[in-house]
Amino acid sequence: MLTKRIIPCLDIKDGRTVKGVRFEGLRDAGDPVALAARYAREGADELVFLDITATNQKRTTLIHLVRDVARELDIPFTVGGGIGTVADVEALLLNGADKVSLNSAALARPELIDELARRFGSQCIVVAADTRFHEPDGWQIYTRAGTHNTGRDAVQWCREAADRGAGEILLTSMSNDGTKDGFALDITGAVSRAVSVPVVASGGAGSMQDFTTVFQQAQADAGLAASIFHFGEIGIRALKEHLRQDGIPVRL
Amino acid sequence: MNIAVIDYKGGNVQSVLFALERLGVQATLTADHATIRAADKILFPGEGEASSAMRELRAQGLDQLLPTLTQPFLGICLGMQLLGRHSEENDVDLLGILPFDVVRFPAAAGLKVPHMGWNNLQQLRSPLFAGLREEDYVYFVHSYFAPVGDYTIAQAAYPAPFSAAVQHQNFYAVQFHTEKSGPVGTRILENFLRL
C-alpha cells in the first residue's frame, strides 16, 4: 500500500542550513549533506531543501550543494527557492535533484509550469503554494517569501497548477506556520480534494497527533516540517511508529 | 567490471551514476554502440515522457541496438516502460523487447496520479531480489504502468496490482527507483551487479 510520507525541510543559505538545527553527536550542524544523511538513516521518506540565499553567487553554490547531497543520499529530494527558468531546473536535475519546487516564478508566469512539465515530466515539477487566511477573502496565495498577496484563491491556483502539469502541490499555511497548533486542515483538505496530484501539507506541525490528523482528516499525501525535526522534539522513527499505531500506512 | 549507463537524455541519470559510485563501481554514461556492446552490464534509467525518449533512442540508433544486447540489462522507471510494445503516453511504439502495453492509471476518486511515494513489493521471484522480504518498500514516481503478466517478477498495488519489475532473458527492469529506494534499492542494484 502506498504510504504517507514524512518530509523534513532544510532551509539553505549560502550552501549551509540555517534556522538552527540541533542534533546530538553531529559536530557540524550546519552541513546539509550530513543532515540529509542523518534524516535518511532515521527513516525520512524524502527531503526538501529550500534555498533562501539572495545573492548572485546563489546558483553556483546551490548546484554544488545539490551535487554533494545527491552523491550521498539514497532517498528522493526536492530543491526549491528562487527557481525561475528552464535552465535553472535543468542544472538542478542534471546535478542530481529529483524534483524542483516552483513558487513565485510560477505565479508570475503560469505557463512556466507547462513548459517545465513538457520538458522534464510532471513527476519532477512541484508547485509550492504559500497561503494565508484572512476575512473576508479566505485562503489567498502569497509570493516573494510570503510578503506579497497575489489576491488569488488558494484552491483555484492549486487546481490550475495541477492542470498545467505540476506533479505535486506543496501547500504551506502561513497562518499556521510556526504556531505548532497543527496543520491547516480545512485548506489542506480542500486542495487535496480539488487536485488529482499528491498534496504535501506544511506549516503548523507541533505534535505527532497533528500528522495523524492531517492524514486522516485532510487527505494529505505527505507531511512536511522543519524545526520540530531539527530540534529533536519529534523523532522521525517515533513519529512513524505513532502513525502506524493510528492505522496510517508508513514505511518503517 | 565495465558498466554502461545508456545516455539518451532520459532524465535524472546522475542519481544512478551516484548510486553506482556509492557501491564503488565505475560506470560510463554513453550512447556509443561499441562501448555499449562491450560493457559487462547495462543500465537503462529514464524519466519523463515516452514519445520524446523513443525519438531520442531512434535518433541515436539505440532502438536497433538495445534489443540485440545479451549481457545483463537493467531498465529503471521509464527505462522499464520503454522495453514494452506500446505506450498510451502520446500513443507511441516502444522497443518491443517485452510483451506488455503501458497504460495510464485510471482517473478515479481519491486516486492520486502520479503514483508517488513508497510502496510495497510483493510476489518477488528473481535473484534480483535476493535478501529482500515480501512487503519491503521502494520508491515509485510514475503515471503509467505495465500490467501484470508472465514476465512479472515483482508486483505492487495502486490500488490494483501492476508490474513493479519484469524480466525477459537478460533484460531485467524495475518501475521504481532503485537509486532512491534506500538500503532496499541499493541491495537490488548490488544483486544486479552480481548477475
Side-chain angles (χ1 to χ4, degrees):
Chain A
M1 184 183 242
L2 183 65
T3 62
K4 300 292 187 182
R5 288 171 280 151
I6 299 299
I7 307 177
C9 176
L10 299 170
D11 285 349
I12 305 291
K13 192 174 184 196
D14 302 322
R16 312 278 299 164
T17 53
V18 291
K19 265 195 187 170
V21 175
R22 202 185 297 145
F23 265 140
E24 271 178 55
L26 201 61
R27 217 170 287 157
D28 184 355
D31 176 7
V33 179
L35 274 170
R38 168 107 181 203
Y39 279 127
R41 275 200 304 280
E42 290 182 345
D45 294 308
E46 279 182 45
L47 293 174
V48 168
F49 292 86
L50 184 61
D51 188 57
I52 56 171
T53 316
T55 67
N56 295 331
Q57 286 304 307
K58 175 182 177 125
R59 199 153 302 155
T60 324
T61 314
L62 182 63
I63 282 165
H64 281 135
L65 169 69
V66 164
R67 212 174 163 79
D68 289 346
V69 169
R71 183 167 270 133
E72 296 298 324
L73 201 63
D74 60 4
I75 60 171
F77 75 105
T78 302
V79 180
I83 295 169
T85 65
V86 170
D88 289 345
V89 173
E90 184 160 42
L92 293 168
L93 295 178
L94 280 177
N95 283 282
D98 298 292
K99 305 184 226 178
V100 294
S101 166
L102 307 173
N103 193 330
S104 302
L107 277 147
R109 198 172 69 81
E111 298 75 20
L112 180 63
I113 305 171
D114 306 66
E115 292 163 17
L116 291 172
R118 257 200 311 276
R119 174 86 180 260
F120 303 107
S122 289
Q123 82 289 337
C124 64
I125 306 301
V126 181
V127 167
D130 294 342
T131 183
R132 177 181 280 156
F133 183 84
H134 48 74
E135 298 289 1
D137 303 314
W139 290 97
Q140 304 242 294
I141 294 290
Y142 281 69
T143 56
R144 299 179 215 154
T147 57
H148 172 68
N149 184 358
T150 63
R152 297 197 63 153
D153 174 70
V155 171
Q156 184 262 330
W157 167 241
C158 292
R159 190 182 283 139
E160 178 178 341
D163 288 346
R164 286 182 178 278
E168 187 168 61
I169 303 290
L170 167 51
L171 182 72
T172 300
S173 165
M174 298 163 57
S175 302
N176 298 57
D177 205 21
T179 64
K180 298 196 179 178
D181 286 337
F183 294 98
L185 300 178
D186 53 348
I187 188 61
T188 305
V191 169
S192 235
R193 285 187 295 274
V195 301
S196 63
V197 300
V199 174
V200 182
S202 158
S207 71
M208 298 196 196
Q209 190 56 40
D210 290 339
F211 286 88
T212 298
T213 309
V214 81
F215 292 138
Q216 286 182 339
Q217 295 181 23
Q219 296 88 43
D221 299 284
L224 177 144
S227 56
I228 54 161
F229 295 138
H230 302 332
F231 290 94
E233 291 164 41
I234 293 180
I236 306 253
R237 189 158 298 277
L239 169 58
K240 291 177 113 178
E241 277 161 9
H242 176 94
L243 291 170
R244 176 168 282 183
Q245 276 177 6
D246 286 345
I248 292 164
V250 288
R251 176 182 69 115
L252 264 172
Chain B
M1 197 177 349
N2 180 2
I3 296 173
V5 178
I6 309 283
D7 184 11
Y8 64 106
K9 303 182 178 70
N12 192 353
V13 291
Q14 194 56 55
S15 294
V16 172
L17 294 173
F18 282 147
L20 292 169
E21 191 181 298
R22 286 196 293 274
L23 290 172
V25 185
Q26 271 293 335
T28 313
L29 182 63
T30 181
D32 177 65
H33 290 209
T35 310
I36 292 171
R37 232 184 248 114
D40 300 312
K41 299 259 160 53
I42 309 281
L43 271 95
F44 185 47
E47 274 177 9
E49 193 272 314
S51 67
S52 22
M54 282 307 298
R55 202 175 314 124
E56 186 63 29
L57 288 172
R58 285 193 201 102
Q60 311 217 32
L62 292 167
D63 61 318
Q64 299 299 315
L65 174 69
L66 298 187
T68 68
L69 297 174
T70 52
Q71 61 274 67
F73 180 108
L74 182 65
I76 299 174
C77 197
L78 182 65
M80 166 179 147
Q81 297 186 1
L82 294 174
L83 301 184
R85 285 185 306 219
H86 179 269
S87 176
E88 213 172 74
E89 188 174 22
N90 291 322
D91 188 22
V92 63
D93 285 334
L94 306 171
L95 295 169
I97 295 170
L98 277 124
F100 58 75
D101 293 333
V102 176
V103 291
R104 191 176 163 88
F105 284 111
L111 190 72
K112 301 295 182 82
V113 179
H115 170 228
M116 181 187 287
W118 299 78
N119 203 336
N120 314 91
L121 291 178
Q122 294 161 336
Q123 306 206 34
L124 304 171
R125 48 176 198 94
S126 169
L128 199 56
F129 305 119
L132 267 65
R133 291 166 308 183
E134 290 281 319
E135 308 293 335
D136 269 348
Y137 288 102
V138 289
Y139 188 82
F140 291 87
V141 189
H142 59 126
S143 301
Y144 294 80
F145 68 95
V148 171
D150 293 342
Y151 45 78
T152 303
I153 53 172
Q155 300 184 13
Y158 190 64
F162 65 89
S163 285
V166 297
Q167 187 213 338
H168 171 68
Q169 296 171 351
N170 58 312
F171 292 93
Y172 294 78
V174 294
Q175 178 61 68
F176 50 90
H177 286 271
T178 45
E179 74 283 9
K180 287 288 164 181
S181 291
V184 171
T186 303
R187 180 64 198 260
I188 294 170
L189 270 180
E190 281 175 330
N191 290 340
F192 172 72
L193 295 176
R194 282 198 205 104
L195 285 177

